[in-house]
């Protein structure tokens, strides 16, 4: 099935995101507050992860296995990533909007972060790991990349205890829309 990619991108550019419900019905959502991963000094991670990063056990890549990252993100007992949403991500990827930021251990995909890039906004959709610390290293390396490329923000959409450990914080809808307006004026790239 073909989707209207420009309309989907426009939805994200207006502050909405796609999710499937328990019946796999896809819908647009927004929330009163959004969770952001800081791209400044507020970003933090455990010392144990610093040792993993220093050991350089993982290599990073962008879009080396986009389909593998989407499949990994969708492969959980309860998921908002329906088969239809997987197809939409694929079409966004083929159109240059969706990206996978990956960690690799040799030839094995260790983990990754799935997201959409619009201007200077990285809208994180999901993350997963197959090898312990794979997604955590991907998150740290992605934040470094977003900083280097002058992104305005990293939207994680919803707070959870895992993201809180990295310094994630909430902004209200008005603050989010202001940041989004700034981000839409930029042209940033993960490459």
């Amino acid at each position: 099935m073909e989707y209207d990619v420009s309309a989907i991108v426009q939805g994200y550019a207006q502050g909405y995101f796609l999710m499937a419900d328990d019946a796999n019905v896809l819908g647009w959502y927004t929330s009163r507050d959004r969770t952001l991963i800081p791209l400044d000094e507020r970003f933090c991670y455990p010392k144990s992860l610093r040792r993993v990063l220093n050991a350089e056990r993982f290599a990073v890549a962008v879009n080396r296995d986009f389909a593998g990252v989407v499949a990994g993100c969708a492969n959980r007992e309860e998921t908002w990533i329906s088969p239809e949403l997987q197809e939409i991500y694929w079409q966004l990827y083929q159109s240059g909007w969706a990206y996978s930021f990956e960690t690799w251990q040799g030839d094995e995909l260790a983990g990754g972060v799935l997201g959409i890039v619009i201007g200077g906004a990285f809208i994180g959709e999901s993350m997963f790991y197959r090898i312990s610390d794979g997604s955590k290293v991907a998150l740290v390396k992605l934040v470094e990349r977003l900083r280097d490329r002058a992104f305005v923000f990293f939207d994680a959409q919803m707070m959870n205890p895992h993201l809180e450990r990295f310094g994630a914080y909430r902004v209200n809808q008005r603050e989010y829309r202001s940041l989004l307006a700034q981000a839409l004026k930029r042209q940033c790239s993960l490459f």
Side-chain angles (χ1 to χ4, degrees), residues 3-11 92 97:
Y3 295 92
D4 185 344
V5 169
S6 62
I8 292 167
V9 171
Q10 189 60 35
L92 288 170
W97 297 101

Side-chain angles (χ1 to χ4, degrees), residues 76-181:
R76 48 186 77 166
E77 252 180 69
E78 291 185 33
T79 183
W80 62 95
I81 303 176
S82 65
E84 183 182 12
L85 189 50
Q86 290 180 53
E87 179 58 33
I88 288 170
Y89 288 147
W90 181 253
Q91 289 183 29
L92 288 170
Y93 161 72
Q94 290 183 310
S95 302
W97 297 101
Y99 293 85
S100 59
F101 194 86
E102 309 154 2
T103 50
W104 290 80
Q105 199 167 66
D107 289 334
E108 188 175 352
L109 178 61
V113 180
L114 170 66
I116 296 168
V117 172
I118 301 175
F122 183 88
I123 302 164
E125 293 288 287
S126 188
M127 58 193 296
F128 87 105
Y129 71 93
R130 289 187 187 144
I131 297 174
S132 185
D133 297 320
S135 63
K136 294 175 194 167
V137 171
L139 184 64
V140 171
K141 294 296 187 180
L142 176 56
V143 165
E144 290 173 1
R145 178 76 57 102
L146 297 176
R147 284 176 178 161
D148 289 346
R149 304 294 161 86
F151 275 76
V152 174
F153 66 86
F154 179 166
D155 178 4
Q157 296 176 359
M158 296 181 200
M159 183 65 81
N160 64 46
H162 175 69
L163 295 177
E164 229 169 355
R165 291 177 47 206
F166 289 87
Y169 62 99
R170 290 184 176 99
V171 294
N172 65 37
Q173 200 170 57
R174 188 175 47 77
E175 292 171 295
Y176 182 81
R177 290 192 184 276
S178 173
L179 288 169
L180 187 56

Side-chain angles (χ1 to χ4, degrees), residues 19-53:
M19 276 180 40
D21 64 16
D22 294 338
N24 277 343
V25 176
L26 200 58
W28 285 104
Y29 294 86
T30 190
S31 63
R32 289 191 193 120
D33 60 22
R34 290 292 265 271
T35 296
L36 302 182
I37 307 278
L39 300 179
D40 57 19
E41 69 284 343
R42 293 174 289 177
F43 182 73
C44 56
Y45 50 87
K47 286 183 180 172
S48 58
L49 186 55
R50 189 171 318 240
R51 287 191 290 276
V52 172
L53 289 160

